[in-house]
Amino acid sequence: MKPIRLPEPPGSPPRGVPDIFEGGVYGVVKRAVIIGNGFPASENQSAGLVRALGLSEKQTLYRVTRPRGGINEYLHWLPVSLHKQIYYIIRLIYGYSQVLFTSRGSRVQSLTGENGGSVGLSSVLEADVKSIVKLAKGTAEKDGPLLVVACGRDTISIASSIKKLASENVFVVQIQHPRTQLNRFDLVVAPQHDYYALTAHAQEQVPRLFRKYITPNEPPSKNVVLTVGALHQVDFAALRSAAIAWHDEFAPLPKPLIVVNIGGPTSHCKYGTDLSKQLTNYLRGVLDSCGSVRISFSRRTPDKVANFVRKELGDHPKIYVYDGEEPNPHMGHLAWADAFIVTADSISMLSEACSTGKPVYVVGAERCKWKFAEFHKTLRERGLVRPFTGLEDMSESWSYPPLNDTADVANHVHEALADRGWRLRP
């Protein structure tokens, strides 16, 4: 059997000396709070960083939630607190009408409660600044400082308020660029392509009048850590566990095993069944050099895209199309694949695939624009990906230093904590 190639675990920074020295328990961070927004891609980034810091067993998840369904889908551009106030007022005026809060024949959707529970609007439990500040202050002497990790636009006000009210007891990391007032956080984690607006190429595209409205419009400050892609939970230990768990299913498959991950169109990477046709045609061109192919879709994949792929390729003896039923083979795919083909729209899927050091081919990058185009340019320049053309010999193997953004950010957290005289639990 061909050996499974797994990236080496990143080196861990020095953990220091026992708590009795260096300020006792107060200077030791032993627990973490994640402020989530209900979107798996965002919460996965926070969980990945907490995992890399060794605090997964001592993490608590809180969620900032918005009303959903009907008219609420047009209010997501508002700050979450204002959105909720408007939602409350409209429901009072219209007497909880089903019409305004139901989208296209579906039932009214209630808010999602803390840690995933679905509850009514009046009793929803979600991220609350006062309770988290009370936790941080009330237990600091016994349990030490609190690490707070947040990701996504809706979490910014919560995380910054916690920092303001409990600055002596918390270390706050905000993932994804908060746009303004970066000093509200101890550390900001942002992808390099967020700063695309500062490049000469971008400034040729954007009229001078509008440049000041594009954020970030200043170079990164000293508390900003730049990454190539998205943070995630795929590391050496996770891949090793997945390789064992999925051994019986994937070990017998003919090699090379090619995994195809299909996402969904975004505002910066627009496509429809046109990309499906391109992808299926290219896959037919490389099937002779493939041992087996496994295709999976994301939550964002439009039905018309998934249905087209199933219709065109679902009956081929070398191809298996994942039907969406549990258990999800995603981690098994990452551990056992010999190469990946990924649609260009998903920074998360590409970041995870590139963390394995295995060949990654991208389809549809030419359809991406603005900062997504800059992201793909960076991947190509670093030798992490190649365009998928349908002319490849998929048995050819090539490699690169795995993308280790999550481990790199974890090291920055260690350094920033040390600057404050704090450290993580050994």
Side-chain angles (χ1 to χ4, degrees):
M1 182 182 72
K2 185 176 179 180
I4 302 168
R5 301 188 305 277
L6 299 178
E8 292 298 322
S12 299
R15 298 292 187 172
V17 295
D19 296 348
I20 188 173
F21 304 105
E22 295 190 355
V25 69
Y26 179 74
V28 180
V29 179
K30 301 183 294 183
R31 59 213 171 114
V33 160
I34 292 176
I35 310 295
N37 58 2
F39 291 92
S42 296
E43 294 182 358
N44 186 48
Q45 293 204 60
S46 297
L49 178 56
V50 170
R51 176 187 174 89
L53 293 169
L55 297 177
S56 292
E57 300 301 319
K58 293 291 184 179
Q59 72 179 31
T60 304
L61 173 64
Y62 293 85
R63 283 202 174 111
V64 181
T65 53
R66 286 181 179 268
R68 299 191 182 278
I71 196 173
N72 291 299
E73 304 307 316
Y74 300 96
L75 300 178
H76 280 193
W77 59 274
L78 293 171
V80 64
S81 58
L82 179 58
H83 180 178
K84 288 182 177 180
Q85 291 174 13
I86 293 175
Y87 172 75
Y88 176 75
I89 292 171
I90 293 177
R91 293 200 69 162
L92 287 179
I93 293 173
Y94 286 91
Y96 293 80
S97 168
Q98 295 282 313
V99 176
L100 285 175
F101 305 103
T102 305
S103 55
R104 298 182 181 180
S106 58
R107 293 181 298 173
V108 173
Q109 300 180 46
S110 63
L111 289 174
T112 301
E114 181 183 9
N115 293 323
S118 182
V119 294
L121 179 65
S122 61
S123 60
V124 66
L125 298 175
E126 59 178 14
D128 176 71
V129 171
K130 290 182 179 179
S131 62
I132 297 173
V133 167
K134 183 179 179 181
L135 170 68
K137 289 184 173 181
T139 59
E141 185 174 344
K142 176 184 176 183
D143 297 320
L146 183 66
L147 176 70
V148 178
V149 182
C151 182
R153 179 168 61 92
D154 286 348
T155 69
I156 292 172
S157 61
I158 298 288
S160 60
S161 296
I162 292 170
K163 171 65 178 174
K164 180 179 180 180
L165 297 173
S167 59
E168 298 300 317
N169 309 107
V170 297
F171 187 90
V172 178
V173 180
Q174 182 69 41
I175 302 173
Q176 294 184 350
H177 207 287
R179 299 174 182 259
T180 59
Q181 298 177 297
L182 304 189
N183 58 356
R184 292 178 291 170
F185 312 95
D186 292 292
L187 212 62
V188 171
V189 179
Q192 294 175 12
H193 55 261
D194 269 0
Y195 286 86
Y196 174 62
L198 302 182
T199 66
H201 183 251
Q203 292 185 13
E204 289 176 0
Q205 297 177 316
V206 182
R208 184 178 299 273
L209 177 64
F210 298 108
R211 289 179 190 171
K212 67 178 181 178
Y213 300 106
I214 298 175
T215 55
N217 54 22
E218 295 180 354
S221 56
K222 63 179 182 180
N223 70 324
V224 176
V225 180
L226 297 182
T227 65
V228 174
L231 307 189
H232 51 76
Q233 300 187 67
V234 179
D235 58 16
F236 177 81
L239 288 174
R240 182 174 55 190
S241 297
I244 295 171
W246 290 91
H247 175 275
D248 291 347
E249 179 163 348
F250 291 134
L253 295 179
K255 303 295 183 181
L257 168 59
I258 310 302
V259 167
V260 182
N261 289 328
I262 301 175
T266 69
S267 59
H268 294 296
C269 288
K270 294 182 178 179
Y271 63 84
T273 53
D274 53 341
L275 185 66
S276 307
K277 294 176 182 178
Q278 177 184 341
L279 175 59
T280 54
N281 287 335
Y282 287 178
L283 278 173
R284 289 192 184 98
V286 300
L287 280 176
D288 287 345
S289 61
C290 297
S292 49
V293 178
R294 291 183 65 100
I295 300 175
S296 62
F297 307 102
S298 77
R299 295 179 180 87
R300 296 185 296 104
T301 308
D303 289 341
K304 61 182 180 180
V305 170
N307 291 337
F308 182 87
V309 172
R310 289 191 181 99
K311 178 182 176 183
E312 295 294 313
L313 300 175
D315 294 332
H316 195 284
K318 284 189 177 182
I319 297 175
Y320 171 82
V321 182
Y322 172 53
D323 59 9
E325 298 295 325
E326 295 296 336
N328 190 326
H330 179 63
M331 288 301 299
H333 285 168
L334 289 170
W336 280 92
D338 294 292
F340 301 92
I341 300 170
V342 185
T343 56
D345 55 90
S346 178
I347 292 177
S348 296
M349 289 194 301
L350 283 166
S351 299
E352 290 178 343
C354 289
S355 73
T356 67
K358 303 173 186 178
V360 179
Y361 297 93
V362 179
V363 60
E366 70 280 359
R367 302 165 190 263
C368 297
K369 59 183 181 179
W370 195 236
K371 64 182 183 179
F372 266 58
E374 185 73 5
F375 168 66
H376 286 287
K377 177 184 176 184
T378 300
L379 294 185
R380 291 192 299 270
E381 289 177 346
R382 292 185 53 162
L384 301 173
V385 304
R386 296 178 183 179
F388 182 52
T389 64
L391 302 175
E392 290 81 6
D393 178 356
M394 300 305 293
S395 64
E396 176 191 358
S397 182
W398 48 275
S399 61
Y400 47 85
L403 186 62
N404 281 326
D405 280 334
T406 309
D408 292 341
V409 173
N411 287 336
H412 279 284
V413 173
H414 277 282
E415 293 169 1
L417 286 171
D419 289 342
R420 266 184 89 163
W422 293 357
R423 62 188 178 85
L424 285 165
R425 178 185 60 182

